[in-house]
Amino acid sequence: MSENEMAKLHVRYMVGGHARGIEHERLFRFEFPERPGALLRFLKAVGANWNISLFHYRNHGSDYGRVLAGIQIPPAGREQFELHFKDLGYEYADETENPAYRMFLGP
């Protein structure tokens, strides 16, 4: 785990494990620009289409904040999600298969 960026930046600050009853959760690591409206833009992108099941924000005074977000995405909606978030323009990575997520936060 010492080489796992997600574990170092997010998981080590989170406790409690996985919430019961969460289905189709996918985990994503985002970089948010530090400017007014960035979070609102993200929330509007999620809209009513998907449910945010986990959210962790970190910033160390840089130009961007690091966000770890669990989002419930049914398998049939994955393509729509990918297109929607590609248009958003924030850098992101799918961390669903990350061993730290599986061990400490995942189902």
Side-chain angles (χ1 to χ4, degrees):
M1 291 293 152
S2 61
E3 300 299 320
N4 189 318
E5 283 299 305
M6 189 193 70
K8 291 189 291 187
L9 295 173
H10 295 285
V11 174
R12 73 186 229 175
Y13 299 101
M14 303 171 76
V15 296
H18 192 261
R20 297 185 193 278
I22 302 294
E23 294 182 348
H24 309 297
E25 183 178 65
R26 308 281 305 169
L27 193 71
F28 296 92
R29 184 172 33 92
F30 290 90
E31 289 188 357
F32 276 40
E34 282 297 324
R35 62 176 175 254
L39 176 59
L40 181 59
R41 187 170 176 222
F42 174 81
L43 294 174
K44 284 182 177 180
V46 173
N49 296 321
W50 303 285
N51 181 50
I52 298 172
S53 52
L54 178 150
F55 193 87
H56 185 256
Y57 172 83
R58 299 236 337 143
N59 182 345
H60 290 283
S62 64
D63 292 342
Y64 60 91
R66 295 176 175 146
V67 173
L68 186 67
I71 303 174
Q72 290 179 273
I73 308 168
R78 286 190 186 154
E79 185 176 332
Q80 180 188 6
F81 175 86
E82 293 286 333
L83 293 172
H84 207 65
F85 274 80
K86 190 174 189 176
D87 288 342
L88 181 64
Y90 294 174
E91 285 190 41
Y92 72 96
D94 189 334
E95 295 283 2
T96 306
E97 300 303 322
N98 188 304
Y101 169 66
R102 292 285 178 203
M103 189 178 297
F104 298 108
L105 301 173

